[in-house]
Amino acid sequence: MLLSIESSCDESACTLFRCEDITPSETIQSVMHDELISSQVKLHELYGGVVPELASREHIKNIPLLVEHLLSKNKLSFRDISKIAVTSGPGLKGCLLVGVSYAKGLATGLSVPLYGINHLEGHILSPFCETPIQNIPDLLPALCLLVSGGHTQLIKIHTIGSYEILATTSDDAAGEAFDKIGTLLGFSYPAGRAVSEAAMHGSPIHPLPLPVQDSVHSFSFSGLKTAAFTYVKKQNFINSVREEKDRFISDFSASLEAIIVRSLVSKTTYFLSNGSYRSLLLCGGVAANRYLRSEIESCAAQYTIPCLIPRPFLCTDNATMIGAVAILKYILNGLNPSNENLQVRARWGLSHE
Ligand code: KG4
Ligand code: ZN
């Protein structure tokens, strides 16, 4: 069995996969045995954002418990683990160190190979989890929109392991914009999901500026954040009666969602029209947003290419996407593991090995 571990930010997670005798007609999902995740959202909510030191301490407590529970609930023991994959970057250094140290200790104790995995690569390959492995090359090159709490990027996936960053954020990420502006509306951190739920009951009637894009290669959401802060302050909605307040929150959420999605979709369309792609992928926490999912699907339909978006559970941080990279990139290709040389890399771009 392959054990994968994720601890780069505020989720502790582990997944078990069958990793022997995988046939090309199988999917990652079909060889995934079981997964467990423990979110620290409630802990960090109090502070309006992730507190790195607290997050690391939680991982220290949670990772061993989760792994032991995952094994015992599947009537397996440590001896059944034949390979280990762990997120080694990018992310919060202390959090990464907890996962990597635990994985290193376990791999050494069991004398099994250890693979260090890039968290972002986990996100961008997650859309392939339900595709038969033999069909993945037919979907490449793919255009991938990665939208998470820390990253907003458009990436050309040439092959598994070969990535070209076409556009990236020059300041805040899309998820950060949802979180910061959502907090202003009274939602607790991380606010993206609550904003999208409120948006379902509202109309996009509030005028928000389309984020300025000084170059085709950059996204920028800090101007939108400032405009939204000024607008919300002027409306003074906190002092309005309950019904009016709820209406403002729903309509403003719908306006915010509409403008962020429009900015993401317009750049995606630009690159689709200027390149030759065989599929369009959407991933990262913000990919759980229903409106974004449907707009990206329409975009792909316009160019008559398949659109692959993971189920919402696989969009936010998880260990299944980490195991998927280990299998697709390393194990199936017989590549060497990292073992005791594995170091954490708090900053680690997708285009660097
Ligand atoms: O990928 P992820 O779990 O963590 C990072 O690696 O950053 O992404 C978390 C981000 C948060 O900003 C959260 O507010 C956002 O994803 N998010 C959403 C939705 N669900 C999660 N944003 C908009 N709509 C959603 N439904
Ligand atoms: Zn992530």
Side-chain angles (χ1 to χ4, degrees):
M1 288 268 163
L2 164 76
L3 169 71
S4 62
I5 298 170
E6 156 65 32
S7 72
S8 65
C9 189
D10 57 349
E11 330 276 353
S12 317
C14 56
T15 302
L16 280 170
F17 298 82
R18 170 169 66 78
C19 63
E20 286 83 25
D21 308 320
I22 300 176
T23 62
S25 61
E26 289 183 289
T27 65
I28 291 294
Q29 196 58 46
S30 72
V31 297
M32 197 276 280
H33 197 73
D34 200 3
E35 58 194 335
L36 277 181
I37 184 157
S38 164
S39 171
Q40 305 178 5
V41 160
K42 284 269 163 263
L43 173 74
H44 300 290
E45 205 176 87
L46 286 171
Y47 306 95
V50 179
V51 183
E53 178 62 22
L54 290 182
S56 311
R57 286 170 191 268
E58 280 296 296
H59 289 306
I60 292 176
K61 218 167 56 189
N62 291 339
I63 296 280
L65 288 177
L66 280 176
V67 172
E68 282 162 38
H69 184 52
L70 184 64
L71 289 171
S72 69
K73 99 188 242 273
N74 284 284
K75 299 193 170 41
L76 294 166
S77 77
F78 282 110
R79 285 277 148 221
D80 293 301
I81 299 171
S82 58
K83 293 174 173 51
I84 300 175
V86 63
T87 305
S88 51
L92 298 169
K93 196 168 181 190
C95 295
L96 291 165
L97 269 170
V98 175
V100 167
S101 307
Y102 176 84
K104 260 190 189 179
L106 196 56
T108 308
L110 296 171
S111 302
V112 299
L114 171 66
Y115 301 87
I117 306 295
N118 183 312
H119 177 88
L120 300 177
E121 196 168 11
H123 276 303
I124 69 168
L125 297 187
S126 63
F128 294 126
C129 280
E130 286 175 44
T131 305
I133 292 163
Q134 65 196 10
N135 297 351
I136 296 175
D138 299 338
L139 296 165
L140 303 175
L143 180 64
C144 178
L145 175 62
L146 162 65
V147 265
S148 69
H151 291 83
T152 303
Q153 294 189 325
L154 269 164
I155 301 135
K156 182 169 186 175
I157 304 182
H158 292 275
T159 58
I160 288 176
S162 167
Y163 312 115
E164 181 184 345
I165 310 296
L166 303 172
T168 193
T169 179
S170 52
D171 41 57
D172 289 356
E176 229 171 325
F178 270 114
D179 293 340
K180 289 181 179 164
I181 303 170
T183 317
L184 200 67
L185 297 176
F187 296 124
S188 43
Y189 178 89
R193 188 165 163 198
V195 169
S196 70
E197 276 163 12
M200 284 194 282
H201 310 289
S203 311
I205 55 168
H206 294 287
L208 285 172
L210 188 68
V212 181
Q213 310 183 336
D214 17 302
S215 128
V216 290
H217 301 291
S218 72
F219 291 99
S220 166
F221 292 100
S222 71
L224 171 66
K225 189 180 66 189
T226 310
F229 271 55
T230 313
Y231 189 84
V232 170
K233 241 187 187 166
K234 254 198 209 151
Q235 300 288 317
N236 197 18
F237 79 101
I238 295 286
N239 296 325
S240 35
V241 291
R242 175 81 194 269
E243 224 167 81
E244 271 178 35
K245 195 169 150 182
D246 288 350
R247 170 93 349 248
F248 177 80
I249 292 175
S250 306
D251 289 342
F252 193 82
S253 295
S255 312
L256 177 65
E257 184 181 72
I259 209 78
I260 292 178
V261 170
R262 207 169 113 202
S263 131
L264 295 171
V265 168
S266 81
K267 199 158 298 255
T268 304
T269 312
Y270 171 84
F271 281 103
L272 271 185
S273 61
N274 284 286
S276 153
Y277 297 95
R278 291 162 89 190
S279 63
L280 178 60
L281 320 180
L282 174 65
C283 60
V286 183
N289 184 282
R290 272 192 237 178
Y291 181 52
L292 177 61
R293 293 169 84 91
S294 77
E295 289 295 290
I296 288 293
E297 274 166 4
S298 311
C299 218
Q302 225 181 313
Y303 288 84
T304 55
I305 53 173
C307 184
L308 280 72
I309 310 176
R311 61 198 159 95
F313 179 82
L314 254 190
C315 291
T316 44
D317 290 349
N318 63 85
T320 300
M321 66 184 194
I322 302 306
V325 178
I327 294 174
L328 294 174
K329 185 173 173 183
Y330 297 98
I331 297 171
L332 290 178
N333 297 317
L335 293 184
N336 286 337
S338 334
N339 283 350
E340 62 270 16
N341 300 325
L342 183 59
Q343 300 290 328
V344 304
R345 295 168 77 178
R347 298 174 71 84
W348 182 7
L350 267 174
S351 44
H352 306 108
E353 257 312 306

